[in-house]
Amino acid sequence: MSEASSRGTGGKPGNGRFEGTERYVATEDLMVAVNAAVALGRPLLVKGEPGTGKTVLAREIAMALGKPLIEWHIKSTTKAQHGLYEYDAVARLRDGQLGDERVKDIANYIHRGKLWNAFAADEQAVLLIDEIDKADIEFPNDLLLELDRMEFHVYETRETVVARNRPIVLITSNNEKELPDAFLRRCFFHYIRFPDAETMERIVGVHFPDLKKEMLRAALTAFYEIREVPGLKKKPSTSELLDWIKLLVVEDIPPEALKVTDKKDLIPPLYGALLKNEQDVHLFERLAFLARREGRA
């Protein structure tokens, strides 16, 4: 069983436990993982294929529990220090040359990061550290102490920032690189498996409640057949399936057009929503070519 992405909000906030929302199909094991991480006060590390709803999970947790959300999206250039604070020495030097009175207080040049904002929040917040594996290998280790003790020191102002309320921390990873063991030990782990057909039907039903059953069955059959093609570089994800179905509805494509009755016509209509690189498109074109050649033989 698996979880899937959401593109809206909804639910019953403030009940103290995460049980999914009206716009997010959560399986039992996901709900257990979220609530266990909250109870333990540990970061929840979520892995899974891109497009399976890892990032949006944080938004749905915040909505369901009635808590503010703070999002920190990691890039390859992101450093752990950015999440704490940044000291703008250049601005202070410039203001000093201009005779600005602000230079007398160094705190005017300290810019809070996402962790600081989460620590300083008046109520418990949900902190998303998104795609942690994009940063360099030292990034997770550089956050160990801060996430463990929920405090850090600001050397320029000689103050220690302590979390008013321990935030609910959700960390996502696409498995682009391995995370350090010391970091993993401090997390509660959950892997989002790709949704099976039954779960996917529920997910699509949330987003397209009026979709005809014949179209739903045809779209899901075609979708899973594409994912099972050997040699596919990037398998289409849940979010791409939802995009594809939206286009099928907008363009009024009939269910019959999705059924592969002839191997010579393997590429589905509006395939650009599902196949996202030229290698996979060429793969389907080669398969169709081989099928045509076999038909002539």
Side-chain angles (χ1 to χ4, degrees):
M1 298 294 286
S2 309
E3 299 74 50
S5 62
S6 164
R7 295 178 186 173
T9 55
K12 298 177 181 179
N15 64 359
R17 291 180 62 81
F18 179 68
E19 298 175 349
T21 68
E22 295 173 2
R23 297 286 293 171
Y24 193 95
V25 176
T27 55
E28 185 67 29
D29 57 345
L30 174 63
M31 291 186 279
V32 168
V34 172
N35 292 317
V38 173
L40 292 172
R42 291 189 178 274
L44 174 61
L45 174 62
V46 180
K47 292 186 178 182
E49 286 186 33
T52 50
K54 300 185 299 295
T55 299
V56 78
L57 174 60
R59 300 167 193 162
E60 297 302 315
I61 292 173
M63 171 62 65
L65 302 183
K67 299 183 182 298
L69 174 66
I70 297 173
E71 301 184 44
W72 185 16
H73 299 283
I74 307 304
K75 301 178 181 179
S76 60
T77 55
T78 303
K79 304 297 181 184
Q81 182 65 32
H82 298 159
L84 307 179
Y85 68 91
E86 293 184 73
Y87 168 51
D88 194 345
V90 174
R92 192 181 185 209
L93 176 63
R94 182 187 64 241
D95 289 349
Q97 293 172 338
L98 297 174
D100 195 317
E101 290 294 314
R102 285 165 43 87
V103 299
K104 296 179 180 179
D105 186 359
I106 197 171
N108 290 323
Y109 302 93
I110 300 293
H111 303 294
R112 294 183 177 187
K114 300 293 186 178
L115 257 69
W116 191 334
N117 289 336
F119 287 4
D122 293 329
E123 59 178 306
Q124 185 183 45
V126 175
L127 172 64
L128 169 65
I129 304 178
D130 195 32
E131 297 189 331
I132 193 172
D133 50 326
K134 281 190 174 180
D136 65 59
I137 191 62
E138 293 303 320
F139 181 91
N141 282 334
D142 290 343
L143 287 178
L144 284 179
L145 197 61
E146 289 75 14
L147 292 177
D148 225 15
R149 296 184 180 178
M150 286 290 152
E151 65 178 49
F152 63 89
H153 189 70
V154 183
Y155 296 96
E156 290 78 4
T157 60
R158 299 178 183 177
E159 65 176 312
T160 299
V161 177
V162 181
R164 294 182 183 178
N165 300 284
R166 191 179 191 95
I168 298 170
V169 181
L170 178 70
I171 302 171
T172 72
S173 170
N174 287 326
N175 262 341
E176 291 185 10
K177 63 171 66 79
E178 291 296 323
L179 299 175
D181 288 344
F183 180 79
L184 294 174
R185 284 197 300 270
R186 289 165 169 82
C187 297
F188 192 96
F189 175 75
H190 180 72
Y191 183 83
I192 295 183
R193 296 181 180 85
F194 195 82
D196 58 21
E198 181 182 346
T199 304
M200 190 66 84
E201 187 171 334
R202 291 168 55 205
I203 293 166
V204 174
V206 166
H207 293 269
F208 303 97
D210 299 324
L211 189 67
K212 293 181 179 179
K213 289 185 177 181
E214 187 180 359
M215 172 58 82
L216 174 61
R217 286 193 295 268
L220 289 182
T221 298
F223 173 74
Y224 280 103
E225 285 178 350
I226 291 172
R227 280 184 56 87
E228 291 171 4
V229 170
L232 205 61
K233 184 176 181 181
K234 183 193 177 304
K235 295 182 179 181
S237 68
T238 307
S239 60
E240 288 157 348
L241 170 64
L242 296 175
D243 284 342
W244 187 50
I245 291 178
K246 182 177 181 179
L247 288 174
L248 294 176
V249 172
V250 169
E251 297 297 328
D252 197 23
I253 303 295
E256 295 75 23
L258 309 183
K259 297 175 182 177
V260 180
T261 55
D262 189 340
K263 290 185 178 180
K264 300 173 186 177
D265 188 21
L266 292 172
I267 301 181
L270 303 168
Y271 64 85
L274 298 174
L275 305 177
K276 295 303 178 73
N277 60 70
E278 63 276 14
Q279 293 97 320
D280 289 342
V281 173
H282 291 161
L283 172 62
F284 272 81
E285 289 174 344
R286 285 197 301 272
L287 291 174
F289 171 76
L290 291 173
R292 285 195 296 270
R293 190 167 66 177
E294 289 176 2
R296 290 196 298 267

